[in-house]
Each structure stands twice: as C-alpha cells, then as structure tokens.
Amino acid sequence: MKNLIKKQIVVFGGCFNPPLNSHFSLAEQLLQEYSQIQKIIFVPVNSKYQKIDLVDNEHRYQMLKLVCDKNKEFDVSRIEMDYKRQLYTIETLTKLQKQYEEYEICFTMGSDNLKELETWNQAEKLVKNFKMYVFERNEDDMQNIIHSSQFLQENRQAFIRVKNHIKNNLSSTFARQKVRQGKSIKYIAPDEVVSYIEQNKLYQ
C-alpha cells in the first residue's frame, strides 16, 4: 500500500519589515505546488533581533494579520515576538510542532540561508527533525550548494527545492527607501499594508 504523505504546515519566518506582495506570492506558490501543505504560518521575528530599522513588533504583526485574515490558508503567529528573547529557529519549530501535533511542521528558506545553515543553532537537530522548502535566489542552484558542503550532503533528505517559483529581487529595504523618498509602494506591498504604513507614518 502506498504510504500516505502527512499533511504539512510550513513556517515562513522573517522580519516582514514591511511584508511585501512577494512574500505572499511565494507562500501561495507553495500551496499551489504541494498538495500536502495545508497552511502557511508567517512568523515575524522579535524586535530584540539585532537588525537596523526594524519597526515595532505590533506594527509588523498587524500588517501581516491584515493580509492573512483574508486567506484561510495563511496565518500569523506571535510565538517569537511575544517571547522574552529572540528564539532560535529550532526552538520555534519545536514549539509549533507541539502545538500542531497532527501536522508535520516544515520551514521555508532562501538558498542564501541554506549556505549558512551549518552555523545555525543546533543545525544537526534542525535538519534531522524538520524538512526545509528552499527557494533558489538569483543564480543559485540548490544542488550545487548541497554538493559544496559535507553537512548539507549528509542531510540532503531534509531539503526540498521549490519548483516553478517566480523569482523576485524586490526587498523590504527597497520598499522602506521608497516610502522615505515619498514614493508609492503600490503593487510592491498589498493595499492593506500600504494603507497601514500611511496611517501610522511608518518608515518616514
């Protein structure tokens, strides 16, 4: 009898400072390409995360929520931003796996992060316990990256190359610069996010 693939929830972590159309487009592509994925959970980092120009937790949470509330397959979690310190990825995924026991929790990352994965906290445990959906960035090739690292080769079963995804080099940094210059980010970010930024005078 053919083994049934366990239903999955994919965790999409990031600063989301602000969230862009490209973030939601990548999430939608995962749902379209892989029938086993039931939900995408966006997990914004805590403002304790050492990154310049990171707006308050609540603003980033609310911007994500405005979009996720309109899609039953999207959700946003406060798990990292409500914690007293910035959680490591392994901690976040382990906590979510306990919360959603009936699903297999997976993670999504760009190929740039894949190159650095061996340096992450408890990297060995991370790849042994969780699958990673990898988006190739720029001219990266996931298989070449894996071949360049013994650690990645030994744990290659953890990595799934996201097929047929639209590559987009627009960044949240680019969006913030546009806002500062008084220029529109319509079509770069969802309308709800654009309105929220304008109403709360963010990034100015």
Side-chain angles (χ1 to χ4, degrees):
M1 183 176 174
K2 188 177 180 181
N3 290 330
L4 294 175
I5 298 175
K6 192 169 184 179
K7 298 298 184 184
Q8 296 176 342
I9 290 176
V10 174
V11 175
F12 194 148
C15 294
F16 304 109
N17 186 42
L20 305 180
N21 283 331
S22 55
H23 294 131
F24 301 108
S25 171
L26 290 173
E28 183 65 22
Q29 288 174 66
L30 279 174
L31 288 164
Q32 294 296 318
E33 291 289 346
Y34 302 95
S35 59
Q36 68 269 27
I37 300 175
Q38 304 297 293
K39 185 184 286 289
I40 307 290
I41 299 181
F42 294 88
V43 180
V45 299
N46 197 309
S47 56
K48 294 181 176 64
Y49 184 72
Q50 297 301 309
K51 191 147 186 177
I52 296 170
D53 206 21
L54 195 60
V55 299
D56 187 71
N57 283 341
E58 200 59 37
H59 285 311
R60 290 179 293 112
Y61 174 78
Q62 291 300 333
M63 285 188 283
L64 281 166
K65 194 170 187 303
L66 284 168
V67 179
C68 291
D69 281 353
K70 295 185 175 182
N71 187 328
K72 61 181 175 53
E73 294 169 320
F74 288 173
D75 202 356
V76 55
S77 171
R78 302 184 63 102
I79 189 168
E80 290 193 4
M81 54 176 48
D82 284 348
Y83 209 71
K84 58 184 177 290
R85 61 171 172 80
Q86 177 57 45
L87 290 171
Y88 291 109
T89 300
I90 183 66
E91 295 174 310
T92 300
L93 298 183
T94 301
K95 288 175 183 294
L96 287 171
Q97 186 64 79
K98 289 177 181 175
Q99 186 177 338
Y100 297 96
E101 291 181 348
E102 69 274 29
Y103 294 95
E104 179 184 11
I105 294 293
C106 303
F107 189 62
T108 183
M109 64 167 54
S111 53
D112 51 338
N113 284 324
L114 181 63
K115 296 172 187 176
E116 308 293 330
L117 186 60
E118 188 174 0
T119 67
W120 288 22
N121 183 269
Q122 299 183 62
E124 191 80 32
K125 183 178 178 183
L126 184 63
V127 295
K128 288 285 191 288
N129 288 284
F130 300 99
K131 289 190 176 71
M132 314 276 169
Y133 283 92
V134 180
F135 290 103
E136 293 170 331
R137 298 195 188 282
N138 302 315
E139 302 305 313
D140 282 347
D141 181 284
M142 189 187 87
Q143 295 305 327
N144 289 341
I145 295 169
I146 290 173
H147 285 312
S148 69
S149 161
Q150 184 178 346
F151 170 77
L152 296 179
Q153 286 186 59
E154 290 172 353
N155 297 284
R156 61 185 311 123
Q157 78 291 336
F159 310 115
I160 303 163
R161 176 184 173 273
V162 179
K163 54 193 176 186
N164 302 325
H165 78 279
I166 300 168
K167 295 187 179 182
N168 188 323
N169 291 324
L170 288 179
S171 68
S172 294
T173 301
F174 175 82
R176 294 194 302 273
Q177 290 170 345
K178 286 289 185 187
V179 173
R180 285 201 187 90
Q181 294 164 1
K183 295 178 180 177
S184 171
I185 58 168
K186 188 176 177 66
Y187 306 119
I188 296 173
D191 290 344
E192 300 91 339
V193 171
V194 174
S195 296
Y196 187 93
I197 290 171
E198 290 172 350
Q199 290 165 10
N200 292 276
K201 297 181 170 55
L202 300 182
Y203 309 116
Q204 293 181 12

